[in-house]
Amino acid sequence: MSMLRKLIFIMTAVVTGGWLLIAPPQTQAAVSSTSKISTRYFFGRKYAQFSQVAAYFKLRYSVASSIFRMVTRKGATVATFKPDSRSATINGMPVILNFAPTYQSKTAFISENDLSYTLMPLLQRSSLIRHTPMHIMIDAGHGGSDPGAIGKISREKNITLAIANELKSELQKRGFQVTMTRSSDYTVSLEQRSAHANRVKAQVFVSIHADAASPSVNGIGTFSLTPPGAPSYNTNKVESGVCKGHFWSKNSLFLSYCVQKNLAGDIKSAPNRGLKRARCAVLPNTDCPAILVETGFISNRNEEKKLNTAAYRKEIAKAIADGIVEYRNSVRSR
């Protein structure tokens, strides 16, 4: 880490064993400008008044007991939220919020954590750290003694490597430098994957996986790291510790949005499972924007068949590459 980065990203141990994260200067102006938004405490955490949040983003709003909306001046829907539900839609993308919005005394509120770590990166580009990523680390999930999920006709480790190789080719066509965490079927620990990315100074990290659940579940979704002070998508347990990956929390969410948008747009046959955040083992210690793409469900008979065809894997790889290009062009250093 450069001296400048050390000055920007100061982590100081406190008595509780947690960490204090100093925000990078690119985000401080955006954070301070929200100070005029009225906040109140509910359920032990701070919430921002929804009408003022909408005004901050220069959007109109509508509020009912069953749904909150943000719309443009011309009436196009930008975001929808449901009180007491973490499921939301932002820019047409399904998103799992960190905390459910709430409706109190006929007034709508959204958590301050989601204002900072969900709405800001998806609705305000100035909140993102500017950089021009040209070196991409591709992580083919599992491998060697770890087969990952096992389907009827294939193993996850083989599917992820095949997609990773296609993605490498697609990115190189677009002028990116590419490094792989593994290039064939051998074991790589989770710790080694993040360490390798940091060692070669990768500027974007993309981990490729195939999911497993009940046979009826299918679709493609993209994960980024759970931000500090929030629970992961599938739990209500708040994680307060700060890690290396949190420096890039907002960029990682926006990267996941760019990639998932292209996947959903190009691959119509797979349901759009949207954006989720979790502390997947390869994400917390990676020192660059990092995402994990679940390219389908190996436990679903039809989806497993598609994942085992070269044409479908190429389609997935092309969409991911297009998403990375969109991300780079959106955050390119001035």
Side-chain angles (χ1 to χ4, degrees):
M1 187 181 291
S2 69
M3 182 60 68
L4 177 59
R5 287 289 306 280
K6 289 179 181 178
L7 291 173
I8 292 172
F9 188 62
I10 302 169
M11 300 179 70
T12 306
V14 295
V15 175
T16 59
W19 299 90
L20 173 65
L21 174 62
I22 307 301
Q26 291 93 331
T27 66
Q28 286 174 349
V31 171
S32 64
S33 65
T34 64
S35 60
K36 294 181 180 179
I37 296 175
S38 300
T39 58
R40 291 179 61 182
Y41 277 90
F42 302 108
F43 323 115
R45 67 185 62 92
K46 191 180 285 189
Y47 279 76
Q49 190 167 321
F50 184 73
S51 60
Q52 295 177 10
V53 170
Y56 170 80
F57 291 111
K58 295 180 172 57
L59 297 170
R60 301 171 66 185
Y61 72 96
S62 65
V63 171
S65 59
S66 60
I67 195 164
F68 312 153
R69 283 193 175 90
M70 290 183 184
V71 299
T72 65
R73 296 293 174 186
K74 295 183 178 180
T77 299
V78 174
T80 59
F81 309 89
K82 296 178 181 179
D84 306 316
S85 171
R86 292 174 66 184
S87 296
T89 303
I90 303 174
N91 291 333
M93 179 66 65
V95 179
I96 301 298
L97 301 172
N98 298 321
F99 299 100
T102 187
Y103 192 59
Q104 302 286 335
S105 302
K106 298 183 179 180
T107 303
F109 293 88
I110 190 164
S111 77
E112 191 176 62
N113 187 285
D114 277 301
L115 170 58
S116 178
Y117 288 109
T118 306
L119 297 186
M120 295 286 281
L122 294 181
L123 299 180
Q124 189 176 70
R125 302 285 172 82
S126 62
S127 69
L128 302 172
I129 298 171
R130 290 281 172 178
H131 68 141
T132 305
M134 292 302 300
H135 185 181
I136 314 300
M137 171 68 80
I138 303 174
D139 174 43
H142 308 284
S145 60
D146 175 14
I150 299 176
K152 296 290 185 182
I153 60 173
S154 58
R155 297 187 172 195
E156 182 182 3
K157 67 175 184 177
N158 297 324
I159 290 172
T160 62
L161 183 60
I163 294 174
N165 283 326
E166 283 287 355
L167 179 56
K168 177 182 178 181
S169 176
E170 290 290 337
L171 288 171
Q172 287 176 332
K173 289 177 187 176
R174 292 159 171 79
F176 290 94
Q177 176 186 354
V178 178
T179 303
M180 307 272 283
T181 57
R182 68 181 181 96
S183 55
S184 60
D185 185 20
Y186 52 85
T187 304
V188 183
S189 73
L190 297 172
E191 294 78 12
Q192 287 174 323
R193 295 167 195 259
S194 296
H196 190 185
N198 297 340
R199 185 168 58 252
V200 300
K201 293 180 169 44
Q203 296 164 309
V204 158
F205 179 94
V206 180
S207 189
I208 305 297
H209 285 259
D211 214 338
S214 64
S216 62
V217 178
N218 66 330
I220 298 173
T222 304
F223 289 77
S224 59
L225 178 63
T226 304
S232 294
Y233 81 102
N234 58 350
T235 179
N236 291 319
K237 183 181 178 182
V238 173
E239 299 283 353
S240 57
V242 173
C243 57
K244 189 175 295 185
H246 281 145
F247 181 88
W248 296 98
S249 286
K250 295 180 181 182
N251 285 60
S252 292
L253 178 63
F254 183 65
L255 170 62
S256 70
Y257 168 77
C258 292
V259 167
Q260 184 64 22
K261 185 180 78 169
N262 280 273
L263 284 164
D266 290 356
I267 304 175
K268 304 295 187 182
S269 62
N272 178 7
R273 298 182 66 84
L275 310 183
K276 299 177 182 178
R277 282 168 287 194
R279 290 178 178 259
C280 306
V282 293
L283 302 181
N285 293 317
T286 304
D287 191 17
C288 64
I291 61 172
L292 185 150
V293 184
E294 293 286 5
T295 58
F297 283 76
I298 198 172
S299 51
N300 179 280
R301 183 176 180 180
N302 291 331
E303 205 148 69
E304 183 186 16
K305 286 183 179 179
K306 290 191 296 183
L307 287 167
N308 278 277
T309 64
Y312 190 69
R313 293 194 299 264
K314 185 177 181 63
E315 193 176 2
I316 290 173
K318 181 181 180 299
I320 295 173
D322 288 343
I324 293 172
V325 170
E326 182 177 337
Y327 169 81
R328 181 197 62 192
N329 292 344
S330 298
V331 302
R332 188 189 299 270
S333 299
R334 295 190 181 95

